[in-house]
Amino acid sequence: TFDLQRIGRWSQFVQYLEEGVWHIWIGFDHILFLLSLLLPAVLIHEARKWTGVASFKAALTEVLWVVTAFTVAHSITLSLAALQIIELPSRLVESCIAASVVLAAANNIWPVVEHRRWMVAFGFGLIHGFGFAGALREVALPKADVPAALFLFNAGVELGQLAVLALVLPALALLRRRPWFEKYGVRVASAAI
């Protein structure tokens, strides 16, 4: 026999995972921020110009550092906010997220932080975590389900980011050696962001 309550609970947990994925896919601010971080991952800024990295492995290493730092940071603040340990006004959070997108894109045009971009990703990830918490709060969370919902929503966010990464990084890696991409690609795309 099937336990309908258990099936209902399982489908609710799957919904938390789906909400995390969906939040990334409809969250243009988060996608634009991720793109701002990914664009220069296939390039090196030296002598005031962008040049393609020697190998895809070098680009992938850079991306892993950046994405891991962003993930750790937003997981921290998502947890703190979802557990109501720290609460920030949504207007402030959303404004800071918008500023992070602009600053990350501007850094691609006028590089201030050329190395250790993972540190920037970590700092801005702390802000984005509060934004993810706001989205999680919109889903009615029974108190008993907060830990599981938090874990599954965060896992969904990661799956959504990995899907974006899987689409964008190979394309950028193919473009990295094109002279027009080195010269204009990052700047034009960042200006559009």
Side-chain angles (χ1 to χ4, degrees), residues 5-157:
Q5 186 176 9
R6 196 174 267 172
I7 291 171
R9 197 168 170 94
W10 175 251
S11 67
Q12 188 178 31
F13 287 154
V14 169
Q15 181 186 2
Y16 298 138
L17 185 71
E18 290 172 352
E19 288 290 332
V21 171
W22 189 243
H23 182 70
I24 288 297
W25 289 353
I26 65 166
F28 294 112
D29 51 350
H30 299 297
I31 290 175
L32 291 174
F33 180 73
L34 192 56
L35 289 176
S36 293
L37 295 176
L38 291 176
L39 279 168
V42 297
L43 303 170
I44 297 172
H45 192 261
E46 294 178 324
R48 303 183 70 148
K49 67 177 192 165
W50 291 103
T51 308
V53 294
S55 68
F56 181 73
K57 182 180 178 185
L60 188 59
T61 300
E62 172 72 9
V63 167
L64 289 176
W65 274 99
V66 167
V67 170
T68 300
F70 183 67
T71 297
V72 168
H74 78 67
S75 297
I76 291 168
T77 51
L78 169 60
S79 299
L80 292 172
L83 297 171
Q84 298 176 338
I85 296 170
I86 298 176
E87 291 187 46
L88 296 177
S90 64
R91 178 175 265 169
L92 173 66
V93 170
E94 294 303 321
S95 297
C96 288
I97 288 172
S100 75
V101 174
V102 171
L103 291 173
N107 188 63
N108 295 340
I109 299 169
W110 304 286
V112 174
V113 179
E114 296 179 31
H115 306 288
R116 297 189 179 169
R117 288 180 320 105
W118 65 269
M119 294 169 79
V120 173
F122 184 86
F124 287 144
L126 293 172
I127 296 164
H128 283 249
F130 286 111
F132 295 145
L136 182 58
R137 261 187 245 113
E138 291 174 9
V139 180
L141 287 178
K143 290 236 185 244
D145 292 341
V146 169
L150 181 59
F151 174 79
L152 290 166
F153 181 83
N154 201 32
V157 165

